[in-house]
Amino acid sequence: MNLYKQVWDELSVIDVSKHIEKKGNLSYLSWAWAYGELMKYYPNNSYSFNYETFADGTMMVECMLVIQQGEETAMRTMWLPVMDYKNRPIANPDAFAINTARMRCMVKCMAMFGLGHYIYAGEDLPEGKQPEVVKAKRINREQKQAYVAAFLKGLEDEDALALKELGDELKEDEDLMSAVWGEFSTKQKAEIKKILDTLRKNTL
């Protein structure tokens, strides 16, 4: 499966609601917690920062976050101005303000990979119009991988009954079903469907 999709599917379902911090009308995710979560899933990551200073003395921070898994690499970039406590750009910011912007920019970059993305959903909406935040369900990674392994075993053995039982179990949890199904290639999905279709025809 494409690494970008894999990262998104795993990080976007993590419930971040207990780790949100407020600054004025904006919501932020604790950078320490967010990076800790990233390390749990993808410890082979790296990040870097660049800066752009404008004519009025204000500064823009750029963060590049790279995740590697095996031979695959996924990269996202995000920008954030250095702001004061009223969320206004600061002219000639000090080191503390720059460091704060760096960490917040890195969290926004993680959101581009899925972690806490929904808390930024209303950032560009008119003032006073905030979307309802939907609490995301966290998928148990070990449980998902166990189902994936069981499906692959059933596919290898062409065990239609085992595949049907697995599918019936997953019908109880649509989020888990979606996560498991997303692990398979188009070819594998077609092969599973073909085996199940044959079973249905034989039981008619």
Side-chain angles (χ1 to χ4, degrees), residues 2-188:
N2 180 278
L3 182 57
Y4 283 97
K5 184 179 188 312
Q6 176 182 319
V7 175
W8 180 270
D9 286 347
E10 291 192 329
L11 299 186
S12 65
V13 296
I14 295 175
D15 180 14
V16 305
S17 58
K18 294 182 180 179
H19 306 278
I20 295 175
E21 302 172 352
K22 289 286 187 178
K23 182 186 178 188
N25 293 324
L26 300 181
S27 297
Y28 294 91
L29 191 59
S30 164
W31 73 264
W33 180 83
Y35 191 69
E37 287 297 295
L38 180 65
M39 287 294 292
K40 287 180 185 178
Y41 290 88
Y42 299 99
N44 192 12
N45 69 78
S46 61
Y47 55 88
S48 60
F49 297 98
N50 286 310
Y51 311 91
E52 182 178 2
T53 302
F54 301 101
D56 60 358
T58 58
M59 180 182 290
M60 184 74 75
V61 174
E62 175 186 332
C63 177
M64 178 184 295
L65 179 61
V66 179
I67 293 175
Q68 291 182 299
Q69 188 175 70
E71 297 181 355
E72 289 192 86
T73 299
M75 180 184 70
R76 297 291 190 195
T77 304
M78 182 48 66
W79 300 263
L80 186 73
V82 181
M83 298 181 289
D84 61 16
Y85 70 97
K86 292 183 178 179
N87 296 316
R88 296 180 303 193
I90 303 173
N92 305 312
D94 59 21
F96 181 82
I98 294 172
N99 184 63
T100 298
R102 279 162 48 111
M103 295 299 98
R104 288 177 178 161
C105 189
M106 184 170 69
V107 172
K108 290 191 74 174
C109 212
M110 292 183 212
M112 295 292 287
F113 279 111
L115 184 60
H117 72 100
Y118 60 86
I119 70 173
Y120 297 98
E123 191 175 66
D124 297 324
L125 295 180
E127 186 174 354
K129 294 185 179 180
Q130 295 297 321
E132 180 181 354
V133 174
V134 178
K135 185 176 181 179
K137 178 181 177 180
R138 180 171 183 171
I139 300 297
N140 183 291
R141 191 177 188 182
E142 289 73 21
Q143 185 183 21
K144 181 186 75 172
Q145 294 303 329
Y147 270 108
V148 170
F151 265 105
L152 291 175
K153 182 67 167 59
L155 180 59
E156 181 182 357
D157 297 341
E158 296 187 1
D159 189 338
L161 288 176
L163 292 173
K164 182 179 183 303
E165 289 177 1
L166 289 167
D168 289 342
E169 288 178 17
L170 286 177
K171 287 179 181 179
E172 304 295 324
D173 190 331
E174 292 183 0
D175 293 320
L176 181 57
M177 177 184 283
S178 178
V180 170
W181 200 240
E183 292 289 315
F184 302 120
S185 66
T186 302
K187 181 180 178 181
Q188 288 172 324

